[in-house]
């Protein structure tokens, strides 16, 4: 619910969580079941086109998936809020949806889900210029309003003497946690990793927001289900038990050691259970927000990197993305004005280092992949949006667009500064404006993986109409980045195609949508660094400052 501010206006809103399941999905693979993923789309206020909002995890070998990944939305009572859900059979690690088999879609309004609590919709198919319903495929969507709660619970479990389910080995156990809903149904909220060939597994420690686990109700029933994993996707039930967060909070102790009971075996004579599950660790911590750290003095520093490669076109021609003319703003100028004006609200001193790459520099035409756009020999800083624009325009007239397009030098440049501030006092944002062509993909991937443990985020804004598939790969929302066999510690890249927000109706709406997309992942990336390094926010500064809006709440405005 929005805060009460006398003399102002606000919309009645609440945050809701959608749980998605499917039943009877059609198989697209010949020798196995489908590997489904659900993609949620919204229609932003004032727009009529669909914008991707969320992707679930992929469930392997299942025609009846229960997705653990939840869709969090702000429910605005006075709006229709159309939603679309698309199902895909994931065939590869590609982030491009067109590379996967389409299984069907449904559309509805958020209000319909809220008013019913849970809806069952027949999956629709597109074909022969018409839409027709699948005979057996359904999607189930349940909604629950979330409590305003900033606590996180850390849990760890072990199994003892679990039933042996495999003929030629032991079991491959994993644990699922389901929360009870007001409807009486249970909703999957977490699934542990599979531990192979053991009857005494010790699963890794994990954390969940308390509101996700039980909506802040410590007495709400939780169902714990233990399975033996099978490659076919038809996992064998070992047993289950029930507990509440209140019970778990009394452990680890003898009170938090639970008998694992198979429902079909419990009536059999001499059946005493299928093993035990014990709680090994329990801790509740307050979740700190992005703004808690900013209010506590964490400094944000934004560096801008501009693509001056020849693929942008000759700047003397109007067709070029870098064409500069009085009274006309090219794509780069529009992107700088829009994005930097957003970022500067969160930058501590509004002084931006502006780097260029891919140009030949005066006086001898030497190619550089890391130069100061203001052409100063030692000081790269430009003041505010106007300073960045002025430096950019002057630079275009002095350099020759060339190539190749190498991202890694500017990423490594910012990473060097981030390495020196791992104590939480500073956080670095690199904003790269590019036409999308990239020639050092392996080096860029390695630079991002190396920087993934640093206090740093990278926002890539795609300018123009080029193929941005390489940028989507770097974004790594679906498939994590890897370099030389090493996985990225965090997802630190956000890709935003600028053209998606140009000429889309009301300029104000377009700007707000752009603000949301540009800042969408930065708070989460920021918090993930602080959590990984166990850095707590400092107490709020005593000085009075006018802070910008919390980017975590930008999606509640329009």
């Amino acid at each position: 619910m929005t805060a009460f501010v006398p003399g102002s206006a606000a919309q009645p809103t609440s945050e809701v969580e959608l749980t998605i399941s499917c039943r009877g999905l059609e198989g697209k693979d010949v020798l196995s079941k489908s590997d489904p993923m659900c993609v949620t789309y919204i229609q932003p206020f004032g727009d009529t086109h669909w914008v991707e909002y969320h992707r679930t995890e992929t469930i392997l070998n299942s025609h009846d998936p229960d997705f653990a990944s939840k869709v969090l939305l702000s429910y605005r009572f006075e709006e229709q809020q159309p939603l679309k859900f698309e199902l895909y059979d994931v065939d590869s690690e590609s982030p491009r949806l067109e590379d996967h088999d389409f299984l069907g879609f449904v559309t509805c309004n958020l209000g319909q889900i809220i008013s019913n609590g849970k809806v069952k919709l027949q999956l629709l198919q597109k074909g022969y210029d018409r839409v027709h319903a699948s005979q057996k495929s359904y999607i189930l969507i349940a909604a629950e309003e979330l409590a305003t709660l900033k606590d996180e619970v850390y849990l760890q479990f072990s199994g003892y003497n679990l039933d042996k389910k495999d003929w030629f080995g032991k079991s491959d156990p994993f644990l699922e946690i389901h929360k009870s809903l007001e409807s009486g149904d249970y909703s999957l909220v977490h699934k542990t990793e599979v531990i192979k060939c053991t009857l005494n597994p010790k699963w890794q420690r994990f954390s969940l927001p308390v509101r996700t686990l039980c909506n802040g109700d410590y007495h709400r029933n939780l169902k714990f289900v233990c399975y033996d994993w099978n490659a076919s996707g038809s996992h064998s039930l070992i047993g289950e038990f029930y507990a509440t967060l209140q019970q778990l909070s009394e452990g680890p102790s003898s009170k938090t050691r639970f008998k694992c009971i198979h429902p079909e075996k419990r009536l059999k004579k001499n059946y005493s259970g299928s093993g035990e599950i014990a709680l090994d660790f329990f801790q509740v911590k307050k979740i700190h927000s992005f703004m808690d750290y900013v209010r506590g003095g964490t400094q944000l520093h934004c560096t801008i990197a501009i693509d001056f490669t020849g693929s942008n076109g000759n700047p003397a021609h109007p067709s070029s993305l870098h064409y500069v003319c009085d009274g006309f703003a090219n794509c780069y100028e529009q992107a700088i004005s829009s994005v930097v004006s957003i970022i500067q609200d969160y930058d501590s001193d509004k002084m931006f280092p502006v780097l260029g790459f891919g140009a030949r520099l005066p006086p001898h035409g030497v190619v550089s992949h890391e130069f100061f756009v203001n052409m100063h020999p030692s000081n790269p800083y430009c003041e505010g949006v106007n300073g960045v624009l002025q430096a950019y325009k002057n630079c275009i007239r002095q350099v020759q667009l060339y190539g190749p397009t190498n991202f890694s030098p500017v990423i490594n440049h910012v990473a060097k500064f981030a390495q020196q501030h791992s104590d939480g006092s500073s956080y670095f944002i690199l904003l790269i404006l590019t036409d999308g062509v990239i020639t050092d993909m392996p080096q860029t991937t390695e630079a991002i993986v190396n920087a993934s443990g640093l206090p740093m985020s990278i926002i890539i804004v795609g300018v123009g109409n080029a193929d941005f598939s390489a940028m989507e790969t770097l974004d790594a929302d679906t498939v994590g980045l890897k370099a030389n066999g090493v996985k990225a510690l965090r997802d630190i890249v956000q890709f935003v195609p600028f053209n998606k927000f140009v000429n889309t109706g009301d300029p104000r709406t377009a700007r707000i949508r752009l603000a949301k997309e540009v800042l969408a992942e930065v708070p989460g990336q920021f918090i993930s660094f602080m959590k990984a390094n166990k850095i707590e926010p400092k107490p709020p500064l005593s000085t009075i400052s006018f802070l910008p809006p919390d980017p975590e709440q930008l999606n509640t405005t329009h």
Side-chain angles (χ1 to χ4, degrees), residues 44-49 51 498-511 513-514:
F45 180 75
D47 288 342
T48 56
H49 65 286
V51 176
F498 180 71
N499 272 14
K500 192 162 93 175
F501 306 96
V502 179
N503 301 322
T504 56
D506 177 24
R508 179 175 174 272
T509 301
R511 178 182 168 80
R513 282 186 50 221
L514 176 62

Side-chain angles (χ1 to χ4, degrees), residues 485-533:
V486 178
K487 290 183 179 179
L489 296 176
R490 298 158 43 238
D491 172 16
I492 63 169
V493 179
Q494 165 77 340
F495 169 67
V496 180
F498 180 71
N499 272 14
K500 192 162 93 175
F501 306 96
V502 179
N503 301 322
T504 56
D506 177 24
R508 179 175 174 272
T509 301
R511 178 182 168 80
I512 290 169
R513 282 186 50 221
L514 176 62
K516 180 183 179 302
E517 289 239 2
V518 166
L519 296 172
E521 295 184 17
V522 170
Q525 294 166 0
F526 178 101
I527 293 297
S528 69
F529 171 81
M530 298 299 180
K531 279 179 62 177
N533 291 275

Side-chain angles (χ1 to χ4, degrees), residues 436-450:
V437 179
I438 181 170
T439 51
D440 70 337
M441 192 67 173
Q443 293 87 345
T444 293
T445 302
E446 183 177 1
I448 292 171
V449 170
N450 291 341

Side-chain angles (χ1 to χ4, degrees), residues 370-488:
E370 183 189 334
F371 63 91
F372 298 161
V373 169
N374 63 5
M375 308 308 285
H376 192 283
S378 59
N379 182 3
Y381 290 93
C382 302
E383 185 175 359
V385 178
N386 291 335
V388 175
L389 284 171
Q390 193 57 51
Y392 163 74
K393 290 178 182 178
N394 292 338
C395 182
I396 280 291
R397 299 183 178 98
Q398 299 180 62
V399 302
Q400 181 184 34
L401 304 193
Y402 204 65
T405 310
N406 294 343
F407 281 10
S408 56
V410 293
I411 294 172
N412 290 328
H413 174 94
V414 176
K416 288 177 185 176
F417 291 93
Q419 280 176 336
Q420 301 169 25
H421 297 83
S422 58
D423 60 353
S425 61
S426 293
Y427 194 85
F428 296 81
I429 298 171
L430 171 60
L431 173 65
I432 301 177
L433 304 175
T434 178
D435 70 346
V437 179
I438 181 170
T439 51
D440 70 337
M441 192 67 173
Q443 293 87 345
T444 293
T445 302
E446 183 177 1
I448 292 171
V449 170
N450 291 341
S452 64
L454 301 176
M456 177 175 170
S457 289
I458 301 170
I459 300 170
I460 302 174
V461 176
V463 177
N465 297 305
D467 178 7
F468 289 118
S469 56
M471 305 300 105
E472 298 281 7
T473 300
L474 296 177
D475 194 323
D477 279 343
T478 306
V479 181
L481 276 188
K482 231 189 242 185
N484 303 319
V486 178
K487 290 183 179 179

